[in-house]
Amino acid sequence: MPRTVFCRKYQQELEGLDAPPYPGPKGQDIFENVSTQAWQEWQAHQTMLINEKQLSLVDPQARKYLQGEMDKFLAGEDYDQAEGYVPPAE
């Protein structure tokens, strides 16, 4: 049976990650409080932000920006969208 966590983003018990995605306390916090679903959605959104805003991951400001957006996204707060992006209708 998969490990479950109370997901910070979705506020319900969902399947958890198999391992922390980052080393250190930040990775452990994500591992304990973020579902696999929320993490996969963040990764897709992060890719969209990198591409649409033409971010360079060697730029410390770009990494700081993505870290802040990740924190907001995973907490269920308002976060930046790529300009012109329209979410698919459900």
Side-chain angles (χ1 to χ4, degrees):
M1 179 160 188
R3 184 180 79 81
T4 61
V5 297
F6 186 80
C7 182
R8 183 180 299 143
K9 180 171 178 66
Y10 291 109
Q11 296 295 303
Q12 60 181 329
E13 288 286 329
L14 294 168
E15 184 176 336
L17 296 167
D18 292 331
Y22 293 136
K26 184 68 170 178
Q28 191 62 33
D29 178 56
I30 293 169
F31 179 68
E32 293 172 359
N33 298 294
V34 174
S35 66
T36 300
Q37 176 186 348
W39 184 251
Q40 289 171 344
E41 289 173 3
W42 162 248
Q43 289 181 311
H45 184 70
Q46 173 182 247
T47 300
M48 187 173 13
L49 288 175
I50 291 167
N51 291 336
E52 294 298 321
K53 295 184 180 286
Q54 299 178 357
L55 301 176
S56 170
L57 297 181
V58 297
D59 177 6
Q61 287 299 102
R63 290 195 311 267
K64 184 177 180 179
Y65 165 76
L66 286 172
Q67 180 73 47
E69 292 308 303
M70 179 185 74
D71 291 342
K72 290 188 274 187
F73 182 91
L74 295 176
E77 299 171 3
D78 287 337
Y79 53 90
D80 275 357
Q81 297 284 339
E83 287 82 15
Y85 175 74
V86 178
E90 292 185 27

